[in-house]
Amino acid sequence: MNILILGGGGREHSIAWAALQNPKCDRLIVAPGNAGIAQIAECAALDILDGGAVAEFCGAEAVDFVIVGPEAPLAAGVADRLREAGINVFGPSQAAALLEASKSFTKEICDAAGAPTAAYGHFTDPQAARAHVQAQGAPIVVKADGLAAGKGVIVAETEAEALAAVDEMFGGAFGDAGAEVVIEEFMTGEEASFFVLCDGETALPIGTAQDHKRVGEGDTGPNTGGMGAYSPAPVMTGAVTQRALDEIVRPVLAEMARRGTPYSGVLFVGLMIEAGAPRLVEFNVRFGDPECQALMVRLGGQALDLMQATAEGRLADCTVNWAADHAMTVVMAARGYPGDYDKGSVIGGLEDCPEDSFHQVFHAGTARAGGQFVASGGRVLAATARGASLREAAERAYALVDRIDWPEGFCRRDIGWRAL
Ligand code: AMP
Ligand code: GLY
């Protein structure tokens, strides 16, 4: 099978690694990829938001199966164009990708499906939004409706902060994404991520994880795309997982199917769990980054079979073979991230890192220059390890970090602290 993966971050490096563990993978191309991915797969320069161009590339290169990593191509309808061209694709249609691309759409689906989530108001007018904030008081959560690269959510601790967020969003700080605003009740509890494969009808859980969004130790400082993650999430007990499936995932999938827009792909279910009761924080229509890295080292080569079965509507016949293991991924970022940071610093020591089914340093933002690896993004590496316990996985992941010689980078030393 010839496989094309769209994307170029740590998530896509880990999916590429897992695909290569499966003997069905004959040829692997990643677009655009990165310097780490280039060590294990072909990289292609391709406009991954242009469905026609991706379909044409698949025809020319005899690609049998496309795995879409990030949300932007899904929201742009790339999966639809590929399906129209008769190409198997892992990733939802543009209509189903609204579960990530529109927060008000997701709220409306939850209402229709009876899925527990924060109470909310949906506003297209700043005056009404301000009045709602004043009526509800703080803490309160203000969200740009559309895709804002993970930046469109303000958890406001004071009314003034919430009003400023409303003004900022309607003032165009997030472009079109902020033309509509959702204002939510602030939920308390512990957060976890739940990953479920869906083929339109069947839902198959493939793992849980917790990530660390804040840049600083002790979960302090500004939000990032994620500084590290571990799997499984202890808070996702069997009972909580069952409730999340019965009360949120299955009713939402049934509602999507009823509307004629069945969901096919991985559903990333962001949950808030309090007193054993899960409530939905948000859906994403793709794997999390860096949660994916922790899931892929646990799943290995079967991840490819499961993604293919998802695309082909065969999940009812599938099971996941779980080892009783744990995984952790620690993100190494360029100093300054998530603010301004420099690119181009040299990363040493990667050659000395073990690479086996227990240890992988996935590349998130690297390039090659003068025969060396250099940083080319904010999040740059994801040191990932598996072990019999979370502690063992953490020790192995930090041993990888310690072998990397990159003075211009940093990481959090406390990934997994709640669980450890
Ligand atoms: P999102 O981009 O939707 O994942 O939101 C970013 C983060 O904001 C989440 O991971 C939560 O920590 C927090 N958050 C979002 N919505 C709420 C809510 N209604 N109550 C409490 N925290 C929230
Ligand atoms: N790590 C969170 C995300 O991928 O959205």
Side-chain angles (χ1 to χ4, degrees):
M1 183 167 42
N2 296 337
I3 301 168
L4 171 67
I5 299 174
L6 302 185
R11 167 180 48 211
E12 289 76 22
H13 193 177
S14 71
I15 295 172
W17 171 82
L20 285 167
Q21 306 310 301
N22 190 310
K24 279 190 201 149
C25 178
D26 296 312
R27 183 175 173 210
L28 182 61
I29 312 169
V30 184
N34 62 40
I37 293 172
Q39 291 187 298
I40 62 169
E42 297 168 52
C43 290
L46 188 59
D47 179 359
I48 66 169
L49 298 180
D50 181 343
V54 177
E56 204 173 300
F57 179 88
C58 290
E61 299 294 330
V63 169
D64 305 295
F65 184 42
V66 179
I67 299 168
V68 185
E71 65 278 15
L74 297 167
V78 169
D80 305 70
R81 295 296 89 71
L82 292 170
R83 286 195 183 96
E84 283 158 19
I87 299 159
N88 249 341
V89 54
F90 178 77
S93 66
Q94 187 170 35
L98 278 179
L99 286 177
E100 175 165 357
S102 169
K103 300 209 187 277
S104 58
F105 175 82
T106 297
K107 290 304 229 182
E108 189 196 310
I109 293 283
C110 285
D111 285 348
T117 180
Y120 75 106
H122 172 210
F123 302 94
T124 52
D125 163 62
Q127 284 320 320
R130 289 179 64 94
H132 181 79
V133 167
Q134 280 155 343
Q136 298 294 318
I140 194 161
V141 183
V142 183
K143 301 186 174 185
D145 187 71
L147 291 179
K151 298 195 178 79
V153 174
I154 310 287
V155 180
E157 277 162 32
T158 63
E159 204 175 293
E161 216 182 310
L163 292 173
V166 166
D167 291 344
E168 207 189 357
M169 285 179 194
F170 282 111
F174 298 102
D176 288 346
E180 297 184 29
V181 167
V182 168
I183 302 182
E184 284 186 7
E185 163 203 0
F186 174 76
M187 293 188 285
T188 53
E190 187 166 353
E191 276 186 79
S193 308
F194 181 32
F195 295 88
V196 186
L197 295 178
C198 313
D199 63 5
E201 283 184 17
T202 302
L204 182 69
I206 52 158
T208 62
Q210 265 166 306
D211 82 338
H212 293 267
K213 285 209 168 71
R214 303 299 190 101
V215 74
E217 283 168 14
D219 295 319
T220 55
N223 263 318
T224 70
M227 293 301 293
Y230 51 99
S231 171
V235 67
M236 291 297 292
T237 59
V240 172
T241 303
Q242 195 59 49
R243 283 188 68 168
L245 273 174
D246 293 344
E247 296 170 17
I248 300 173
V249 176
R250 291 206 173 98
V252 163
L253 293 179
E255 178 62 19
M256 292 298 285
R258 195 189 63 76
R259 293 180 180 216
T261 53
Y263 187 89
S264 171
V266 61
L267 192 62
F268 168 163
V269 187
L271 296 169
M272 187 73 82
I273 297 124
E274 193 170 41
R279 289 207 283 170
L280 183 76
V281 177
E282 60 160 358
F283 286 126
N284 293 303
V285 299
R286 46 154 179 100
F287 284 108
D289 188 340
E291 293 92 328
C292 186
Q293 290 86 313
L295 291 177
M296 288 300 145
V297 292
R298 295 188 65 209
L299 290 167
Q302 67 179 320
L304 177 62
D305 296 323
L306 293 168
M307 288 190 271
Q308 198 189 358
T310 302
E312 293 172 0
R314 294 186 284 101
L315 280 179
D317 305 327
C318 292
T319 51
V320 183
N321 294 314
W322 280 116
D325 59 357
H326 295 254
M328 182 178 289
T329 185
V330 178
V331 169
M332 299 184 74
R335 286 194 191 281
Y337 175 81
D340 293 338
Y341 54 84
D342 290 332
K343 292 185 183 177
S345 54
V346 174
I347 304 163
L350 285 164
E351 311 67 32
D352 303 329
C353 290
E355 276 183 39
D356 52 40
S357 67
F358 292 98
H359 307 83
Q360 288 290 326
V361 179
F362 295 118
H363 292 224
T366 62
R368 278 309 259 197
Q372 289 173 304
F373 287 107
V374 298
S376 65
R379 292 190 295 169
V380 172
L381 299 170
T384 308
R386 205 156 63 86
S389 64
L390 183 60
R391 188 164 301 280
E392 188 175 42
E395 280 163 8
R396 288 177 173 162
Y398 280 106
L400 289 173
V401 166
D402 292 336
R403 280 178 186 241
I404 293 163
D405 178 17
W406 181 35
E408 293 82 0
F410 75 98
C411 70
R412 278 181 57 170
R413 302 285 327 182
D414 66 343
I415 300 304
W417 65 274
R418 269 179 224 281
L420 288 168

